[in-house]
Amino acid sequence: MADIIQLLPDHVANQIAAGEVVQRPASVVKELLENAIDAGAKTIKLIIKGGGKTLIQVVDDGLGMSETDARLSFERHATSKIRQAEDLFTLSTKGFRGEALASIAAIAHVEMQTRLEKAELGTHLKIEGSNIVFQQVKVVPKGTSMSVKHLFFNIPARRNFLKSDQVELRHITDEFHRVALAHPQIAFHYYVNGSELFGLPKGNLRQRIVHVFGNKTNQKLVPISEETQVVTISGFINKPEFAKKSRGEQFFFVNNRFIKSPYLHHAVLSAFEGLIKTDCHPGYFIYLEVDPGTIDINIHPTKTEVKFDDEHTLYAILRSTIKHSLGQFNVVPSLDFESDPNLETPYAYKNKGAELPKITVDQGFNPFTESNGGIATKSYRSGKTQAKDSSWESLYVGLESNIGKRVDYDNLQFESDTITGSIFEGQTDVSESQATTFQLRRKYIVTTIKSGMVVIDQSRAHQRVLYEKFLRNSTVKQVVSQQLLFPLSLSFSKSDMAVLNDIKETLDAVGFVFDKIEAESVEVRGVPLLVPESEVGMVLDQLIADCQQEVEGESFSQTDILSKTMAKTLAVKTGEILENASQLALVNDLFACKEPMVSPFNKPVFVTITENEIDKKFI
């Protein structure tokens, strides 16, 4: 049999490697930004066009490269970071494998301009699909400029799997945030389609967080700090009252490298236990400094997963550090048993002395002296006699007439469970004899049918009803908006405002009316009829989060996403008591829907139990 094993050509091997390193334009942004940081840059510019598909450019003022290094940097496994295998366990730089630029050059048009600080001339290099088009000497500024154009131009199948420009841009913005938050000592500029989205000056960590997520973030932050032999912890956590329904503003950094760690995330959640609701998520910016020899960052091509030597100790230290900070800054309500509230002096009385009360006694006062048919009293100050309308015996007049009378217990009213939720306004009361439904465990609605009975999940049923109502109103363009007496002013970060601008037309079709949309704030003048004024901010936060975390592999329209989010947010929740009229109306509206069997999120709404199934239980 002839030999069938052969070496792959370099361009094929590079394309295969690119599938691991370059998943989308955000992966290219991450690699280029990390290379600029490793080069010692003080100012970095990121320029994006067409969601990263048309152009990704990173310009830095770092060390630059010589002509030989510029050419060699595009070879596979060519790196300046490691010389031997042991160096992998003492890494302090971002990129080290030497495969990023080779992988990018295999699937895109790459153009590099670089110059050393002491050199008079630099190098201009252009590569297309691993093939060098030209390399020449050129006058360029100090540092390096990398341009990546037409990503996946030679792999159409991979290009077709990319999402829309808005979705890819959100992923790029997330990657930019992760790098910028890890290096507040570096100035960053982020340009999208010719306009500057972020201009981040040099500063400390708190200033960088505020510049990225808006001025309102400053009041949310609580600092944390702990130094041990195992780990040094620093950063900030958000106060419990600012916890959100969506997972946003959650960042872990280990040795200034962004990581994802569900285990450490659970440590943060356990520290907030009892302070936030179970369906809310706290925000945090936590920085861990550990010995490079105790972690392995080479377990995943994207280098976002890290393996620790002793995760259990890190878990305990992180949890106790957050609990200590929450208590130290009086975020957690506490009782001080040593303080005496009687000894606390108000600030306005700190310079006042004690005043003895003045007491006067009326020597001629007699409480049993009658005057004009009433009890005569004298004021101890004025000495004047005050007569009441009747004597003390008049207090008991008429009581003897009620003695022996029978109490009518039939008309007494007793306390019952308070109705906490009524989802259908204006419904007439349904008497017990007419009621055909009842609520089970404040979660299910049970009703009868010809063949048996139906058990309905009240929350999922209401989601289906609201979802089809929102979808129908936005499609027919006959939505009615409820005007607010006083407009609401809401604050968002710049990235959230970019998403809000993208979905503004869809929000208008649903029923929202906006007065002003500025850089970090928006003024809401009208809301859909079913949205309470108190929940407008929560609904918009959830809408932005759902649009940012668009489901991979599913191309839903913005109207569909918004209808689902609003239905889920406004639907009646488990634990709410519904009166009989609301139960009956919910059942009728559910079975009037086009798809009553499943919720908007493809979960079953009700189950049917036939009479035969019930009979079998008694055999």
Side-chain angles (χ1 to χ4, degrees), residues 71 110-113 123-128 131-138:
R71 174 64 187 86
V110 180
E111 190 172 347
M112 172 193 283
Q113 296 182 14
T123 303
H124 186 194
L125 184 65
K126 191 173 183 180
I127 299 177
E128 297 179 358
N131 299 319
I132 299 177
V133 177
F134 68 85
Q135 179 177 352
Q136 63 183 11
V137 178
K138 188 177 181 181

Side-chain angles (χ1 to χ4, degrees), residues 110-333:
V110 180
E111 190 172 347
M112 172 193 283
Q113 296 182 14
T114 182
R115 178 177 71 85
L116 294 171
E117 183 177 5
K118 297 182 180 179
E120 296 182 357
L121 298 175
T123 303
H124 186 194
L125 184 65
K126 191 173 183 180
I127 299 177
E128 297 179 358
S130 297
N131 299 319
I132 299 177
V133 177
F134 68 85
Q135 179 177 352
Q136 63 183 11
V137 178
K138 188 177 181 181
V139 177
V140 295
K142 174 212 167 186
T144 303
S145 173
M146 290 286 298
S147 300
V148 178
K149 304 176 182 178
H150 311 300
L151 195 64
F152 297 121
F153 79 98
N154 53 355
I155 311 179
R158 290 291 302 277
R159 189 176 181 88
N160 292 336
F161 274 100
L162 295 179
K163 302 294 181 182
S164 62
D165 291 353
Q166 291 82 4
V167 175
E168 296 298 339
L169 185 62
R170 289 172 203 143
H171 287 283
I172 293 174
T173 304
D174 289 341
E175 208 62 60
F176 174 79
H177 287 168
R178 295 166 182 174
V179 176
L181 290 172
H183 301 276
Q185 75 280 3
I186 301 176
F188 287 89
H189 299 275
Y190 181 21
Y191 300 90
V192 177
N193 297 328
S195 61
E196 186 177 21
L197 186 59
F198 285 97
L200 307 178
K202 302 177 184 178
N204 56 35
L205 180 57
R206 192 183 192 106
Q207 293 172 339
R208 176 57 53 88
I209 294 173
V210 171
H211 284 140
V212 172
F213 294 101
N215 296 327
K216 294 290 185 179
T217 311
N218 192 31
Q219 62 181 351
K220 305 178 184 179
L221 301 179
V222 175
I224 61 173
S225 179
E226 187 66 40
E227 185 174 354
T228 65
Q229 296 180 350
V230 179
V231 62
T232 299
I233 301 175
S234 60
F236 298 90
I237 54 176
N238 284 352
K239 296 178 181 178
E241 59 263 31
F242 295 104
K244 294 183 177 181
K245 296 278 186 180
S246 59
R247 290 192 178 187
E249 303 178 10
Q250 296 180 345
F251 296 90
F252 270 118
F253 299 92
V254 175
N255 296 349
N256 289 333
R257 182 190 299 275
F258 173 79
I259 66 164
K260 297 178 180 178
S261 177
Y263 187 68
L264 295 181
H265 174 73
H266 187 272
V268 178
L269 293 181
S270 62
F272 277 90
E273 186 177 3
L275 300 176
I276 60 176
K277 297 181 181 179
T278 54
D279 57 345
C280 291
H281 304 276
Y284 54 81
F285 309 87
I286 299 176
Y287 295 75
L288 309 176
E289 291 290 336
V290 299
D291 183 6
T294 62
I295 60 173
D296 185 5
I297 58 178
N298 200 28
I299 62 175
H300 195 273
T302 60
K303 300 188 286 289
T304 56
E305 297 180 11
V306 176
K307 185 178 181 181
F308 297 94
D309 282 354
D310 191 359
E311 282 188 332
H312 298 288
T313 303
L314 280 177
Y315 184 99
I317 295 175
L318 179 60
R319 182 175 179 271
S320 61
T321 300
I322 295 176
K323 275 188 168 294
H324 175 71
S325 295
L326 290 173
Q328 182 181 5
F329 292 94
N330 294 326
V331 177
V332 180

